[in-house]
Amino acid sequence: MQEQNIPIDIQTSKLLDWVISRRHCTKTWPQQITIVREKINSAIQDMPEHKGITKLLTGTYINYFHCLQIIEILKETEADTRSLFGRYGSQRMKDWQEVVRLYEKDNVYLAEASQMLMRNVAYEIPGIKKSIAKYEQIQHDTEKKEAECVKNAQDFREKYKSLANQLGIEGKNIKSELTDLLGSLPEMYKEVAKQAKKTKDAAAFYRSFLGQIITNNSDLTCLPVLQYIIEHGNTTVYEWRYGEPPLRIEEPILFVEPEALVTIDDAIDFGDAAIDFGNSDVELETGDIDWGQIDMLPDAHEATIDFSTTEDAELGIVVQEAGVEGGVAKDNEAFTMLDYHKTRNMFFDDLAELEAFLRQRLIELQATAKESKMGFSFSQSHSSTEMSPQELEAMLSHVLSTLDAINRPKLKNLALIRESPRYVDRVANSLQQHLRLADKVDGNRTTLAERRRTAAVEQARLQPTLKKLIERTKELQADIEKNISKKYNNRPVHITGGVTSL
């Protein structure tokens, strides 16, 4: 192979070192290029209007090869100033020819072009690509988060509607709607009491079972509240305590309007004038107290009180019978058994106790039916209380239905509202918190959408910049390869790792 056909391969990252080590450029080229840049800045101030020049000077760093193209354009625009000897009298042409001459001195242009190529390949192009990738990732992430925000906002609003439906309200005006629902609470308690009456057989079976187990206790009591509601219904606490209904019921005030606070403007105005207490000293007279002369009746200690009925009638005093007859139910005694939280909890405990008994009894009967000879069981020792599993399951079903009725979320919330008006605020805040969270998520979605749009705009702005920079870098690399090739008798030159590898 002839030497002229042997290619020259140069690594892009070592291009500047290569041209300096081959003595094509000197190490002082940075100082020389400073002078060249000053000449370019001065010459660029006076340029003719031409599309080619405008294209060259737009958005790029002017190098030696651009200067050559500018001179070619000036040959057309400044043709009128050309002399017979081929020289140009135009100052524009002279300025740019001086720039080219300074560039070609010690091949300063080659060092600058090599550095520009290295910088574009190593930093500029990868930096723009990285920015574009970052904006693409931002768009992808924000789109995903926007979808999550839409879903979360929908979930919060559906949760709000679900909780409002559980409470039996529309959710437009929570406090007033909850307060209006209190009127339905007695009817709900009536349904619970009606359901409790179906547990009569289960309670009787439990009481009979305990009677056989505990034989020495004649005053055995079990499930007191449940048994009372089964027999008498949901009466007042007063009637449960004293055994007779009250003559009058004074229900406690549940909602008390807050008193208006006294402000400074409402205070007593004493005026601006000071109170004059006088200048004279106040003299206090001292001495013994004169009580006068009190005559004691000789038979005062023997006096007695006459409680005659005639005077009682005249005074209008009526003596009531002993006991609570004619009493008034007020405060907690004015509540019904299921309305008062203590008796309601006792009712719940009785149901839970009865449920546990029936479940255990059902397990024992089922185990006995499978293996009649296994161990000791209550079913063997108390045959008089024997019942079939089907009967026990029916009893357990009634007990569970009663528990479900008393444990309904709507009833529990209304009971708490009745006992504590502050609970209305808590429930309202709890419900409104879902709407506030939904609004907050919507606000976040709006912010994410704006961020996504901004990233899309930045990406659209960088795309043509990247494309143009790659094209200019390819041209620069081709010009460098061509100029180096001329210095080595047109041997092929390949700059490896250049812009083509990006």
Side-chain angles (χ1 to χ4, degrees):
M1 180 181 294
Q2 296 180 0
E3 183 180 357
Q4 186 177 0
N5 297 329
I6 298 175
I8 300 174
D9 295 334
I10 307 171
Q11 184 67 26
T12 303
S13 59
K14 299 179 181 179
L15 181 58
L16 182 58
D17 294 336
W18 189 90
V19 295
I20 293 176
S21 63
R22 275 25 175 213
R23 298 182 183 274
H24 298 299
C25 305
T26 62
K27 293 183 179 181
T28 60
W29 72 270
Q31 291 77 16
Q32 295 173 281
I33 202 64
T34 302
I35 300 174
V36 176
R37 301 313 305 180
E38 292 176 355
K39 290 287 185 180
I40 291 176
N41 292 334
S42 177
I44 205 173
Q45 302 301 323
D46 182 22
M47 297 294 293
E49 294 183 2
H50 192 276
K51 292 182 179 180
I53 293 179
T54 304
K55 184 178 179 181
L56 286 173
L57 301 180
T58 302
T60 185
Y61 185 83
I62 299 176
N63 55 39
Y64 168 74
F65 305 105
H66 294 149
C67 294
L68 295 179
Q69 296 180 35
I70 290 173
I71 289 177
E72 292 298 325
I73 294 173
L74 289 177
K75 287 180 180 180
E76 299 177 6
T77 60
E78 307 298 324
D80 297 340
T81 62
R82 184 178 182 181
S83 65
L84 296 174
F85 301 100
R87 295 181 179 274
Y88 290 88
S90 171
Q91 186 62 37
R92 295 172 181 172
M93 181 64 78
K94 290 179 180 180
D95 291 341
W96 286 104
Q97 287 177 344
E98 178 65 16
V99 169
V100 171
R101 185 186 66 79
L102 293 175
Y103 259 132
E104 292 177 347
K105 183 180 179 181
D106 297 331
N107 294 321
V108 175
Y109 76 92
L110 191 58
E112 184 193 41
S114 300
Q115 187 188 53
M116 290 176 61
L117 178 63
M118 293 169 58
R119 185 173 64 246
N120 289 350
V121 171
Y123 302 107
E124 298 295 336
I125 295 176
I128 295 178
K129 284 187 174 182
K130 186 176 180 180
S131 297
I132 292 175
K134 182 186 72 173
Y135 289 128
E136 289 178 349
Q137 185 64 33
I138 289 175
Q139 293 179 68
H140 176 73
D141 293 342
T142 51
E143 286 178 358
K144 185 177 179 181
K145 290 180 180 179
E146 281 184 65
E148 292 178 358
C149 287
V150 172
K151 182 179 180 300
N152 291 337
Q154 184 178 357
D155 290 342
F156 283 129
R157 290 190 173 90
E158 289 179 355
K159 182 67 174 177
Y160 174 82
K161 293 180 181 179
S162 175
L163 293 176
N165 290 334
Q166 288 182 8
L167 293 174
I169 61 177
E170 295 181 4
K172 296 180 179 179
N173 193 339
I174 300 174
K175 291 185 180 181
S176 62
E177 290 177 8
L178 289 175
T179 305
D180 295 339
L181 279 179
L182 291 178
S184 64
L185 196 56
E187 188 64 27
M188 298 173 69
Y189 284 142
K190 185 177 180 181
E191 294 178 3
V192 175
K194 183 178 179 181
Q195 186 66 35
K197 291 182 181 296
K198 297 180 181 180
T199 63
K200 182 177 181 180
D201 294 339
F205 174 60
Y206 181 44
R207 188 168 58 255
S208 174
F209 183 86
L210 290 181
Q212 295 186 20
I213 295 294
I214 308 174
T215 56
N216 296 330
N217 192 350
S218 59
D219 298 332
L220 177 65
T221 58
C222 65
L223 312 177
V225 176
L226 177 61
Q227 189 64 36
Y228 178 84
I229 292 178
I230 291 174
E231 295 176 359
H232 301 89
N234 186 30
T235 65
T236 61
V237 176
Y238 180 97
E239 184 175 348
W240 175 64
R241 287 179 176 174
Y242 303 116
E244 59 182 8
L247 293 179
R248 189 173 73 256
I249 298 176
E250 296 180 358
E251 295 187 0
I253 300 175
L254 299 178
F255 296 95
V256 180
E257 295 293 334
E259 297 181 0
L261 298 176
V262 178
T263 61
I264 297 176
D265 297 333
D266 299 331
I268 300 173
D269 185 8
F270 291 98
D272 299 330
I275 300 176
D276 185 8
F277 291 97
N279 298 324
S280 60
D281 296 334
V282 179
E283 295 182 358
L284 298 177
E285 294 182 358
T286 58
D288 297 332
I289 301 174
D290 184 8
W291 298 99
Q293 185 175 0
I294 302 176
D295 295 332
M296 180 67 69
L297 295 175
D299 57 347
H301 62 281
E302 298 177 359
T304 58
I305 301 173
D306 187 4
F307 294 97
S308 63
T309 57
T310 305
E311 295 180 358
D312 291 343
E314 293 176 355
L315 296 175
I317 299 175
V318 179
V319 180
Q320 295 182 352
E321 297 181 5
V324 294
E325 182 179 355
V328 178
K330 56 184 178 179
D331 297 332
N332 293 332
E333 293 180 351
F335 290 118
T336 63
M337 294 291 291
L338 295 178
D339 207 5
Y340 185 39
H341 66 93
K342 290 185 178 180
T343 52
R344 184 172 64 249
N345 291 338
M346 294 171 64
F347 175 73
F348 180 81
D349 293 342
D350 290 348
L351 288 173
E353 180 181 349
L354 185 58
E355 178 195 2
F357 166 74
L358 293 175
R359 288 187 183 277
Q360 181 62 30
R361 191 64 177 159
L362 183 60
I363 293 173
E364 291 175 356
L365 288 180
Q366 290 174 347
T368 304
K370 291 181 180 179
E371 299 181 13
S372 59
K373 296 182 180 181
M374 286 185 60
F376 174 81
S377 70
F378 287 118
S379 61
Q380 295 173 349
S381 58
H382 302 282
S383 57
S384 62
T385 60
E386 189 70 31
M387 282 198 177
S388 65
Q390 292 76 14
E391 292 175 325
L392 287 178
E393 289 178 354
M395 293 180 182
L396 182 60
S397 175
H398 291 313
V399 173
L400 293 177
S401 298
T402 308
L403 281 171
D404 292 339
I406 196 65
N407 279 329
R408 280 182 294 175
K410 181 179 179 180
L411 187 147
K412 292 172 69 176
N413 282 288
L414 290 178
L416 290 172
I417 292 170
R418 182 173 174 81
E419 293 170 6
S420 174
R422 294 181 181 177
Y423 188 73
V424 179
D425 297 330
R426 291 174 54 191
V427 173
N429 290 334
S430 177
L431 286 175
Q432 291 171 352
Q433 180 67 14
H434 291 84
L435 293 182
R436 286 194 291 268
L437 290 174
D439 294 339
K440 184 178 180 180
V441 170
D442 286 338
N444 293 339
R445 182 175 62 85
T446 303
T447 303
L448 290 171
E450 182 63 27
R451 186 182 179 189
R452 175 175 54 81
R453 287 191 291 268
T454 302
V457 170
E458 290 297 322
Q459 179 186 355
R461 181 182 63 83
L462 290 176
Q463 288 285 5
T465 303
L466 176 64
K467 182 179 180 182
K468 188 174 183 180
L469 182 60
I470 291 176
E471 292 176 356
R472 294 291 177 86
T473 305
K474 287 181 178 180
E475 294 174 1
L476 180 62
Q477 180 174 327
D479 291 334
I480 293 174
E481 290 176 346
K482 187 184 297 182
N483 276 264
I484 294 176
S485 177
K486 291 178 180 180
K487 297 180 183 300
Y488 290 91
N489 297 323
N490 295 324
R491 288 176 58 184
V493 177
H494 304 293
I495 298 178
T496 60
V499 70
T500 55
S501 63
L502 296 176

